[in-house]
Amino acid sequence: MFEKFFFRKECLRKRCDMDLRNETEKISAYLRSFFKQNHYDSVGLYYPIKNKIDIRPVLLELQIEGAIKTLALPRILNDDMTFAPWQFGQCLSPDQYGIPAPLTSELVYPQCLLIPCVAIDLDGYRLGYGGGWYDRILSGQHFDLTIGVVPACFVCRALAHETYDRALSGWVCENGFTWVVKPSCG
């Protein structure tokens, strides 16, 4: 457990010093191509804080173009993470942890989930931010596809993981997609 704590801290320190514009541009292009070819009615994403890759612009474009019907952002209320519908121009309000989230009480259960990663290993196990939110939601809900979003320099051979950790279907970085479990068409 201490190993994960210190590795997370080191990765976050390194990422904080990075300019991720190039990585963001390339990842966005891969996401655009993927969702143009593979249709999912609902896609869950994240609000970018702490120098996370910002995938909102490309997903909003895909929604406007009709390639994605519903986008959903997470929100944490009463120590529970759920997803709420989100679209361009919609007002957001800080959730329980101060992260911007939709104000609506409507819930969305995304088919495809794009998950921020501090790091990820070759088996699809991600190192998150330490709250366990995604581990709990992945354990309690079914998603057709779970994709980590991470710069390539944070893809590791192996990460320590606990019994409650869930491997993702794959990840996308500036070098493209890597699948642990091949996706079926959305």
Side-chain angles (χ1 to χ4, degrees), residues 63-76:
Q63 184 183 41
I64 290 166
E65 294 167 8
I68 298 172
K69 181 179 175 185
T70 304
L71 291 175
L73 282 173
R75 65 168 177 225
I76 301 171

Side-chain angles (χ1 to χ4, degrees), residues 100-147:
L103 294 170
T104 181
S105 61
E106 184 181 349
L107 297 180
V108 172
Y109 298 92
Q111 292 173 292
C112 176
L113 194 56
L114 296 165
I115 302 172
C117 301
V118 172
I120 195 163
D121 72 14
L122 299 178
D123 292 323
Y125 287 98
R126 77 183 267 278
L127 178 64
Y129 294 81
W133 299 107
Y134 282 99
D135 293 322
R136 286 191 289 281
I137 206 160
L138 290 171
S139 293
Q141 289 183 32
H142 170 76
F143 300 93
D144 293 345
L145 190 63
T146 54
I147 303 170

